[in-house]
Every structure is written in C-alpha cells, then in structure tokens.
Amino acid sequence: MTSPPADDAPLPTFADLGLAEPVLRAVADSGYERPTPIQAQAIPLVLRGRDVMGLAQTGTGKTAAFSLPVVHRLLGGPRRTRALVLTPTRELCVQVEASVRTYGVHADVDVAPVYGGVPYEPQEEALRGGVDVVVATPGRLLDHLEKGNVVFDELEILVLDEADRMLDMGFAPQINRVVERIPPYRQTLLFSATMPPEVEALARKYLRKPVVVQVGRRNTATRTVTHAVYPVPRDRKSSLLAALLRKPEMDTVLVFVRTKPAADRVVRHLEAEGITAVAMHGDKSQVQRTQALEDFRSGAVRVLVATDIAQRGLDISGITHVINYDVPEQAEDYVHRIGRTGRAAATGDAYTFMAPDEIATVRLIERVIGQEIPRISVPGFDFGTFVAD
Ligand code: AMP
C-alpha cells in the first residue's frame, strides 16, 4: 500500500482534479469552492481506477470524495447497474442517494436507494427498470438479489461506506454474499472512520493494491469542535439539558441517549419545558424517522433526541451542538457522534453529561482521543456538591 502526500498540501480546485464538465457544474451548483482534503486526495485516484481505502469520518466531505468520481466514471455509458454503494443505515443510504443524485444531475445518472423497513415493490420496480447506481443497506439488497430483481454481472465500482459501522452492526455475512455476486474485475472503494483489524481484513479481502487516503490522525475528534464534560448526577441530567437548551446559541441540537425509552422520556421532559423536540430511534417507523429528520432540518423542531443506531449517517448541516446525554460506551462512538457537528464548513460544540458512574468511561475516551476534555461545573448541577450529602 502507498500513501499520497500529507493532507496539509495546498488544496487544488475541483477542475484540477480532472473531473468532467457535467460533474464540475454540479459541484458549482452545490456551492463548493474547493475540494476538502479527502476529496483532493481521493478523487484523482478514483478517476485513475485505483482501489482506495479512505480513513475519514462524516463531516470531512467523504461522500462527495467517492460520489463525484463515480458519477464521472459513469458518464456517457450504457444504462445498466454499474456502481453499488453499501451503507450501514437507512439514513445514510438516503443521504448518499441524495448526494449521488445531486452530483449526477447534469450527467443523466440514475440512482435507486434500497433499504429495509419500507415496502419492497417500489424498490423492485426501480431496480428492474434499470439504474446506474444502487445505494443500499446490505440486508435488503441481498433480498432483492436473491429474488433476481437486480444483477451485478456488469458492476464496475463497489463502494463500502462506513465499513466499520457495517461490521459493528453485524453485516459481514450479508456483505460477503453481496460481493460474491459482483465481478472480481471491479474498482473497490472502502471508507471507514476507524480501522480496527476487522476492517483491515475486509479491505485485504476485497481491495486490490489500495491506496490509503487518510484525513486527520486516527481516532482524533473533529478539530473545529470544542468539547466539554459536565459532571452531573444522573437524576439532574434532564434539568441540566433544559437549562442548557435555553441558551440562545443552542440553536439546532442533537442529543444522544443510550436507550429508546430514554429518548422518549427526554423528549417528553423537554416538551413539558416548552422546548420542541423529537425522538429518533429503532422503534420509529420509516415514515416517522423521515418526518423527524425533515422537522429538524426545517427548524420546526430544535432538538433531535437519538439513540446510537441513528448516530451515523445523520448529515444535517447547521447542527450547532451535540449533547451526549449519556456517555457513549465505546470511545470510537464518541468520535463519530461529535462528527455530527464541526461539519465541513461549520463549527460546533459537543457536551457530555457525566454521571458519577460514567467517570471511568470518560477517562477511557480521553485516552483514546489523546486529550483531556475540559470539565464545566454548573452550580446546582455539579455532582461534587451532591454526592457529599
Ligand atoms: P460528508 O463528510 O460526506 O458527510 O460531508 C459533510 C458535509 O460537507 C456535507 O454537508 C457536504 O454537503 C459538505 N461538503 C462536501 N464537500 C464539500 C466541499 N468541497 N466544500 C464545502 N462543503 C462540502
């Protein structure tokens, strides 16, 4: 494996990267001025047909880093399924599909999203009608493959997006069965926020002489984010949340909780305090999830309360704050969660509420990210004053 130059080299323009005119026009429509570091590194490699392993988290512009050159490579070809993007969650699936659609708007590129929790028929119709790009979660896609609704005999490009997350979610068997149906002479791109041994093994299995492209240090938190920990007794967390949300700068806030009942409870508490909030978790129907995202995006509700399952793939620009109502159990989840804020062009704050029994987990996170997170004590909420009596 070889590595391209470090990501602090001066950034080129999109035209410098070799993208064709219809793609450049879509980039201009999107208002992007310069490629992000991951785009500057990955796009020329993908255009040259290389396999690429991209170590980048959400917020770095990784979706465009693969979508733009994929659209370029599909230009002018016959209408058959030539590219497949596998994603871990339906939210990410929908967002990647929207990106490919946006970037392919002047290139006559047709894309179909395929994910579970919704009826099969419309997806079947779209697949059977013939599309250039399929963006899919692995389980539902496998169902369609087995029913013969789509064939990948002529697939040229496979993208594994958020590979670490897909493996965390137990998708390895489905990924393997999907890839078995794709010709070996293809281009494979793998993106992952982290590189645990399982992801390295997946890359070794499916990528040929990949070039590794990395943005930022491994396991570092997004740089523009300012983080802080609030030491707070567990039973004061909801009051602290309501108090923080009253600050005017807390505009669009994503709150993470550990369980589904906790998500519903926090929403009820906030609404009782007159703060508009909506919950997002695995028990919500697809319609409810889409509606929740829409309300959050449009500003109809200010606060989205989500469980871990919703944490990746939420690409909502303009999130001003992320609050970890519960400390994430995995240090890597901490990095992913705060990747929701500190987007490509925004800055944001990430606050973590730490109950006394969560101190050890926070210390572990600090070890993994290689920095201490400052503590903020709020009189009346700080457990220093509460555990004493
Ligand atoms: P991603 O890392 O793919 O989730 O992208 C993060 C956000 O950055 C998305 O909202 C994109 O629309 C935005 N974005 C992607 N590329 C650029 C760019 N070159 N300039 C500005 N914003 C970008």
Side-chain angles (χ1 to χ4, degrees), residues 237-251:
K237 283 189 175 185
S238 56
S239 315
L240 174 61
L241 180 64
L244 284 180
L245 290 174
R246 285 207 189 86
K247 293 184 173 187
E249 69 270 22
M250 289 270 181
D251 188 31

Side-chain angles (χ1 to χ4, degrees), residues 250-305:
M250 289 270 181
D251 188 31
T252 309
V253 185
L254 186 51
V255 177
F256 285 111
V257 294
R258 198 168 290 160
T259 65
K260 296 168 196 170
D264 292 330
R265 216 166 36 238
V266 168
V267 166
R268 276 199 304 275
H269 181 88
L270 293 177
E271 305 231 292
E273 298 274 336
I275 298 165
T276 53
V278 65
M280 171 101 153
H281 55 62
D283 281 355
K284 299 273 174 186
S285 69
Q286 186 55 33
V287 173
Q288 287 171 318
R289 288 153 73 112
T290 308
Q291 184 65 46
L293 273 184
E294 245 163 52
D295 289 347
F296 190 55
R297 282 211 181 93
S298 70
V301 295
R302 268 177 58 209
V303 185
L304 184 67
V305 183

Side-chain angles (χ1 to χ4, degrees), residues 85-105:
V85 184
L86 287 180
T87 67
T89 62
R90 29 193 177 181
E91 280 77 25
L92 185 63
C93 177
V94 170
Q95 282 158 18
V96 170
E97 183 240 348
S99 295
V100 175
R101 199 174 287 286
T102 301
Y103 303 139
V105 68

